[in-house]
Amino acid sequence: MAKNTKRYKSLLEKVDNTKEYTLVDAVALVKELKSAKFDESVEVALNLNVDPRHADQMIRGSVVLPNGTGKTVRVGVFAKGLKADEAKAAGADVVGADDLVEAIQAGNINFDILIATPDTMGLVGKVGRILGPKGLMPNPKTGTVTMDVTKAVNDAKGGQVTYRVDKKGNMHAGVGKVSFGAEALVENISAFVRAINRQKPSTAKGKYIKNVAVSLTMSPSVKVNTVELMDMR
């Protein structure tokens, strides 16, 4: 939504930009900001006081949201033999090995998350230049390189979000839909923040979470009290 439209300006009037809301109040307000005709995503954005140039301050991982994301996720799996059968049984949408390499090289990327067993990472490497820029490379830190493909597929289908801090310390994730109940959204955001807090580097100085905001796909952002969130464990 253009930021100079009448609709956007009317939404801005509902938000006090000088205030940091409690999480409960922020979620309640953001639900009032629904203006689109579709079921908008609820997004949380954080700015962390870390320097990702240092390996121990690269905050990266995944968390399964207790109430899911509200999105239908297509899961691809690189696996062979029994592990391929296991992935199919778990509900993976695309499963393969050399044939999956060929499909990706041909531009057929019919998945939103890619999981791989460790023994297939050589195959994944062949298409790394294609997968990397799309953010689809499997990684042990996000639980997508694993022998437990059943758990990985279930997590991906059940509301797993991955996160990674950028070079300026920013991070964001979709944590549900505006149609979710307020309590479900608070639970999802809390789970996401707890995962971030658990990864606080011992070398990080000062205030770990500098800024937090919650917004909808088409809405202004609502600032959230950072002290409340940093206390979440």
Side-chain angles (χ1 to χ4, degrees):
M1 187 190 300
K3 294 190 176 183
N4 59 355
T5 63
K6 284 184 180 179
R7 188 189 298 181
Y8 194 88
K9 286 178 179 176
S10 70
L11 295 179
L12 271 175
E13 289 172 3
K14 296 182 179 182
V15 182
D16 182 352
N17 272 328
T18 66
K19 178 179 178 181
E20 283 193 345
Y21 294 81
T22 65
L23 180 56
V24 169
D25 288 347
V27 167
L29 176 54
V30 105
K31 283 179 68 67
E32 291 178 20
L33 300 178
K34 176 174 168 51
S35 62
K37 293 179 180 179
F38 61 92
D39 192 8
E40 294 176 76
S41 293
V42 179
E43 298 167 3
V44 61
L46 299 88
N47 180 246
L48 303 181
N49 189 18
V50 296
D51 184 351
R53 290 176 300 178
H54 300 292
D56 63 331
Q57 295 191 34
M58 168 50 74
I59 311 300
R60 180 179 190 177
S62 63
V63 59
V64 178
L65 303 180
N67 302 295
T69 63
K71 295 179 180 178
T72 300
V73 177
R74 298 170 303 167
V75 178
V77 180
F78 267 102
K80 300 175 181 178
L82 292 174
K83 287 297 172 182
D85 295 339
E86 192 178 317
K88 291 171 185 174
D93 299 273
V94 181
V95 181
D98 294 287
D99 54 333
L100 187 49
V101 169
E102 292 172 10
I104 293 168
Q105 288 172 334
N108 298 322
I109 300 176
N110 300 315
F111 48 82
D112 307 299
I113 293 176
L114 183 61
I115 295 160
T117 54
D119 60 316
T120 62
M121 285 304 291
L123 294 173
V124 175
K126 293 181 179 180
V127 285
R129 288 186 179 180
I130 299 171
L131 299 173
K134 297 179 183 297
L136 291 170
M137 275 294 285
N139 189 288
K141 290 185 178 178
T142 58
T144 48
V145 177
T146 177
M147 288 301 286
D148 194 348
V149 292
T150 298
K151 181 180 185 301
V153 171
N154 288 338
D155 284 350
K157 293 276 189 181
Q160 183 182 59
V161 294
T162 58
Y163 53 84
R164 179 177 181 166
V165 70
D166 69 12
K167 60 185 178 182
K168 293 185 178 179
N170 298 312
M171 178 186 294
H172 60 87
V175 289
K177 296 286 187 178
V178 69
S179 59
F180 283 22
E183 187 176 343
L185 288 170
V186 169
E187 287 176 354
N188 276 1
I189 295 169
S190 298
F192 180 73
V193 171
R194 284 192 194 98
I196 305 305
N197 283 338
R198 283 194 293 269
Q199 289 191 261
K200 179 183 178 182
S202 58
T203 51
K205 307 295 184 204
K207 190 178 181 183
Y208 179 47
I209 300 177
K210 294 200 286 189
N211 297 294
V212 181
V214 180
S215 63
L216 301 180
T217 309
M218 306 285 282
S219 85
S221 58
V222 178
K223 295 176 185 174
V224 186
N225 184 284
T226 53
V227 175
E228 175 192 358
L229 299 188
M230 283 191 294
D231 284 341
M232 291 180 177
R233 292 289 182 266

